[in-house]
């Protein structure tokens, strides 16, 4: 109760909480959420144990689990986020939401946090792999935790980008496609085949600059157990920029 | 409570609202009339702060909607066109959400929700999810959302759209009752609603206000206002119109219809206020006929509406 009071005294945080609660409830009210979680778990399992060669490595680490996350999220995160604004606009509830005594930013942040929390829940449900690897050997659990944090950051960055594309259109499919393309760009500029291609240009500076844009480059640190502030800032600035742009897009739509 | 000055909105080259000004005080129910596409919804969206105006000023309860939107929005309850709501929520959940965004917590929220449920007759569907409701209930759920915080200002965009006649009647009487303590604007294209619920009406056509007044005043603009309708039996229509046309206080006479040997004739008055002179003249003229019916007409809003909005369109076409 005291928490509640302190929260409602800070108006902004109360509104964000209200919106996030509704949004998260919206996910679990439909079977889509459960389908998504099952698909996510099946795919992570498949990539870790089959494609990733978890057992062949015979190492007590979750490297084979985490290397696929950037690619898995490429499709799964836009699928979670595409409805964020497109649906509100299509149904007309956007008009209801934005004529409430709240700011657009509170609405954007509330909705973003809810879907991020949803992704966090899905990610949390992969904990059996952690148990498995601890049971089979003795991995460095600090590295695993750091990789989980990195994975969550990466999901947040993709999600913020999807929030932005979702605000552009009332068509969820269009929003999905645009965000996949944008996220794919963020992967590819650090993807070894692409960086190798670029290094032929004989300009190591350029390669480095392009690779610095990539989520792969920045996730790498987390996966190795190194919490570098530059990597954290990278993900946070993608989130901040994309959410800010979401606000600009929503405002420009209303201006007509 | 609501003050709109010189409000304009253009979408690209299209001017949807063009220099609209009016005020609404507490205790007034303003009916917003106009054909489809006249700019009613656009005006309401600007007043509620959903879209920014291209030009002009809106103040609600003294707060400027553009410069200071949050306190202005707090005063407003809004029912958007087509009554949108979150399909995956229950009626109770949806109303609680609205109450929470309006800053209510705990007991206050529960009370507000049950009050709105009672006022909008939603008791039977409280725990039903919105997407399983019939259109009338969905509409009333969104309406309940707009009055959840007992706002001083209510903006209702076609509040009776899609309701059955009983529900329409309920909503109208609800609006009239609440109008005593609030400033209300509602849009409609059903003219009888103006009589049923408004204290004042504005007719808007292609973004401009073309008439503004009480329903009485608007009705007086009708050509039929003050005309006398006479029904006689056993007379040829020619003789009837011949004799009535010669009345000094009559401008002209039309035969409305002929049926089963009865003739209905309408005598238009020369001046607006005849104090029953025309009726007396018609009665004298009708001496010797068997009169079935005779009454002075009030004028009809739909005639006013049609003549104003159509003549404007005709002017535009001839340009
Ligand atoms: N977002 C928009 N973009 C472009 N044109 C619009 C938009 N909203 C409304 N209009 C145009 O503005 C005019 C007024 O529309 P509206 O206010 O909805 O009319 P009404 O509610 O009186 O039927 C219409 O011609 C409509 O096509
Ligand atoms: Mg409309």
């Amino acid at each position: 109760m005291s928490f509640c009071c302190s929260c409602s005294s800070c108006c902004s945080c109360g509104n964000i909480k209200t919106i996030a609660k509704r949004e998260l409830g919206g996910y679990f009210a439909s079977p889509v959420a459960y389908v998504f979680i099952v698909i996510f778990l099946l795919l992570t399992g498949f990539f870790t144990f089959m494609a990733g060669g978890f057992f062949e490595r015979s190492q007590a680490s979750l490297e084979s689990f985490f290397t696929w996350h950037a690619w898995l999220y490429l499709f799964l995160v836009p699928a979670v986020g595409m409805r964020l604004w497109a649906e509100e606009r299509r149904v007309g509830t956007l008009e209801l939401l934005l004529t409430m005594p709240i700011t657009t930013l509170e609405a954007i942040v509330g909705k973003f946090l809810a879907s991020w929390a949803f992704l966090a829940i899905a990610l949390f449900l992969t904990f059996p792999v952690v148990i498995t690897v601890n049971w089979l050997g003795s991995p460095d659990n600090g590295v695993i935790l750091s990789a989980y944090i990195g994975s969550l950051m990466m999901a947040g960055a993709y999600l913020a980008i999807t929030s932005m594309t979702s605000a552009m259109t009332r068509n969820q499919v269009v929003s999905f496609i645009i965000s996949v393309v944008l996220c794919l760009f963020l992967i590819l500029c650090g993807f070894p085949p692409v960086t190798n291609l670029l290094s032929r240009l004989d300009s190591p500076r350029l390669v480095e600059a392009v690779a610095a844009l990539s989520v792969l480059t920045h996730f790498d640190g987390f996966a190795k157990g190194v919490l570098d502030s530059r990597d954290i800032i990278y993900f946070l600035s993608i989130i901040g920029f994309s959410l800010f742009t979401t606000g600009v897009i929503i405002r420009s739509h209303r201006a007509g | 409570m609501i003050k709109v000055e010189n409000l304009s909105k253009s979408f690209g080259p299209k001017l949807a609202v063009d220099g609209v000004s009016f005020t609404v005080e507490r205790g007034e129910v303003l009916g917003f009339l106009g054909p489809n596409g006249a700019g009613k919804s656009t005006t309401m969206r600007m007043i509620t702060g959903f879209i920014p105006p291209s030009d002009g000023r809106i103040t609600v309860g003294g707060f400027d909607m553009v410069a200071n939107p949050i306190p202005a929005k707090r005063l407003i309850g809004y029912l958007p066109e087509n009554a949108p709501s979150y399909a995956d929520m229950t009626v109770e959940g949806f109303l609680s959400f609205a109450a929470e965004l309006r800053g209510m917590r705990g007991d206050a929220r529960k009370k507000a929700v049950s009050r709105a449920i009672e006022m909008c007759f939603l008791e039977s569907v409280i725990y039903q999810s919105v997407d399983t409701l019939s259109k009338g209930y969905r509409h009333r759920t969104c309406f309940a959302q707009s009055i959840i915080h007992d706002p001083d200002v209510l903006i209702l965009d076609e509040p009776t759209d899609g309701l059955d006649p009983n529900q329409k009647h309920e909503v109208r009487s609800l609006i009239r009752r609440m109008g005593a303590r609030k400033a209300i604007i509602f849009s409609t294209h059903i003219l009888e609603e103006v009589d049923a619920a408004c204290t004042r009406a504005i007719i808007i056509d292609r973004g401009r206000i073309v008439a503004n007044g009480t329903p009485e005043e608007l009705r007086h603009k009708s050509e039929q206002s003050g005309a006398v309708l006479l029904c006689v039996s056993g007379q040829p229509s020619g003789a009837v119109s011949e004799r009535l046309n010669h009345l000094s206080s009559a401008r002209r006479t039309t035969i409305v219809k002929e049926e089963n040997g009865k003739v209905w004739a309408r005598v238009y008055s020369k001046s607006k206020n005849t104090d029953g002179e025309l009726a007396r003249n018609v009665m004298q003229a009708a001496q010797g006929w068997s009169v079935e019916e005779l009454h002075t007409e009030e004028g009809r809003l739909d005639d006013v509406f049609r003549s104003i909005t159509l003549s404007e369109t005709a002017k535009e076409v001839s340009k």
Side-chain angles (χ1 to χ4, degrees), chain B residues 37-285:
Chain B
K40 303 182 292 292
S41 299
T42 306
T43 307
M44 292 180 145
R45 286 186 179 132
M46 288 191 280
I47 296 174
T48 53
F50 180 58
I51 53 178
S54 306
D55 198 15
R57 232 168 86 92
I58 303 153
T59 50
V60 177
F63 299 106
D64 189 298
M65 184 47 89
V66 175
N68 207 357
I70 303 288
K73 284 176 180 174
R74 264 195 247 284
L75 298 173
I76 301 178
Y78 178 37
L79 172 68
E81 199 170 15
N82 304 323
S85 52
Y86 291 103
D88 51 39
M89 298 180 97
T90 64
V91 170
E92 201 252 357
F94 177 65
L95 295 178
S96 296
F97 169 66
E100 230 174 283
L101 283 184
R102 295 295 184 176
M104 288 179 265
R105 297 286 187 278
D107 259 3
R109 187 184 76 180
K110 281 203 193 101
K111 275 204 195 100
V113 170
S114 52
R115 185 184 131 275
I117 282 173
E118 196 181 319
M119 282 181 89
C120 298
F121 308 100
L122 291 166
E123 288 93 344
S124 56
V125 296
I126 298 177
Y127 300 111
Q128 216 168 311
S129 125
V130 170
D131 58 359
T132 63
L133 296 179
S134 68
K135 182 164 183 192
Y137 274 106
R138 219 177 300 162
H139 207 276
R140 275 186 278 164
T141 303
C142 193
F143 189 74
Q145 162 280 134
S146 71
I147 58 171
I148 195 121
H149 53 308
D150 197 15
D152 286 340
V153 174
L154 253 185
I155 313 279
L156 309 167
D157 200 349
E158 302 195 6
T160 58
D161 182 46
L163 301 184
D164 70 34
N166 291 335
Q167 294 166 335
K168 279 194 166 100
H169 180 79
E170 280 162 22
V171 168
R172 276 177 216 152
S173 51
L174 187 61
I175 291 174
R176 202 175 35 216
R177 256 184 293 136
M178 289 190 302
R181 294 175 299 112
K182 300 181 192 303
I184 300 182
I185 303 180
F186 79 92
S187 75
T188 180
H189 40 239
I190 304 172
L191 291 149
E192 58 199 77
E193 282 179 357
V194 176
D195 276 318
C198 295
T199 58
R200 197 151 57 87
I202 281 179
I203 301 180
I204 168 168
D205 186 29
R206 263 158 312 118
R208 280 190 214 179
I209 294 182
V210 288
N212 181 353
T214 63
E216 281 298 295
E217 286 166 358
L218 291 182
R219 235 187 267 113
H220 270 296
K221 292 191 187 225
S222 163
E223 198 189 19
Q224 278 177 27
S225 159
V228 171
L229 188 76
L230 175 74
C231 172
V232 295
S233 59
Q235 293 288 334
S237 61
V240 172
S241 67
E242 173 69 23
R243 204 187 298 175
L244 294 176
N245 260 332
H246 283 98
L247 291 175
S248 59
S249 53
R251 188 154 49 84
R252 67 191 173 94
T253 302
T254 57
I255 300 298
V256 182
K257 66 173 175 178
E258 278 184 87
E259 215 174 80
N260 304 331
K262 293 183 190 173
V263 178
W264 278 266
R266 180 175 285 127
V267 188
Y268 291 97
S269 170
K270 255 186 187 141
S271 61
K272 283 280 171 191
N273 287 313
T274 54
D275 294 327
E277 188 199 343
L278 182 64
R280 280 192 298 277
N281 289 345
V282 171
M283 252 159 73
Q284 278 161 11

Side-chain angles (χ1 to χ4, degrees), chain A residues 40-54 57 61-73 122-130 133 143-144 147-148 151 154 219 223:
Chain A
F40 177 73
L41 295 179
L42 285 178
L43 284 179
T44 46
F46 172 78
F47 280 115
T48 309
F49 296 109
M50 315 298 281
F54 175 78
R57 288 174 188 232
S61 91
L62 282 182
E63 218 184 304
S64 61
F65 170 68
F66 285 113
T67 40
W68 296 101
H69 280 200
W71 297 95
L72 263 179
Y73 288 158
L123 188 60
F124 174 77
L125 290 177
T126 60
F127 68 87
V129 259
V130 182
V133 76
V143 174
I144 291 179
Y148 262 110
S151 174
M154 187 161 61
F219 179 61

Side-chain angles (χ1 to χ4, degrees), chain A residues 19 24 28 49 66 69 79 94 113 131 150 156 176-177 184 211 215-217 243:
Chain A
I19 289 167
L24 196 58
F28 287 105
F49 296 109
F66 285 113
H69 280 200
L94 186 64
L113 288 180
I131 296 175
F176 176 83
I177 292 170
L184 185 64
V215 286
L216 291 183
T217 321
L243 293 187

